[in-house]
Amino acid sequence: VQTGLGVTADGGTTTCQLRNISNGNIDMLSTKVTIDAGEFSSLFAATPFVINQANDQVDAGDRIAVDVDAGTTGTGLHIYVWFSIVRPPA
């Protein structure tokens, strides 16, 4: 997961949570993804996000919501999420 802003946040941290709507509205991150004040990206956040391994299952067709839990004066929020397919051994 990586987030970014088109215009940097002046005085606060932008905090986002991923939520799997299709799987009971469960939060997918145990530590939310953040963009620190004065930064354009979450890439170098002081506290890195952590995927909640108990809630990391995503199936084809699942609906994923992005909750902006702490706002800021930054604008142009964009979020990139990558998923990989894990297949059990044959």
Side-chain angles (χ1 to χ4, degrees):
V1 178
Q2 184 177 355
T3 61
L5 294 169
V7 176
T8 185
D10 292 344
T13 299
T14 301
T15 305
C16 300
Q17 174 65 263
L18 297 178
R19 181 170 41 90
N20 190 328
I21 297 169
S22 301
N23 194 10
N25 274 323
I26 57 172
D27 289 340
M28 299 174 70
L29 304 174
S30 53
T31 302
K32 299 172 186 177
V33 63
T34 59
I35 303 171
D36 297 331
E39 296 289 334
F40 288 99
S41 168
S42 62
L43 191 59
F44 300 108
T47 304
F49 73 92
V50 176
I51 297 170
N52 184 336
Q53 293 186 2
N55 299 334
D56 66 354
Q57 180 68 38
V58 177
D59 296 316
D62 277 1
R63 295 180 302 140
I64 307 300
V66 176
D67 299 324
V68 180
D69 295 331
T72 180
T73 57
T75 60
L77 178 67
H78 52 275
I79 298 169
Y80 301 96
V81 181
W82 294 266
F83 296 99
S84 60
I85 298 171
V86 178
R87 294 193 171 119

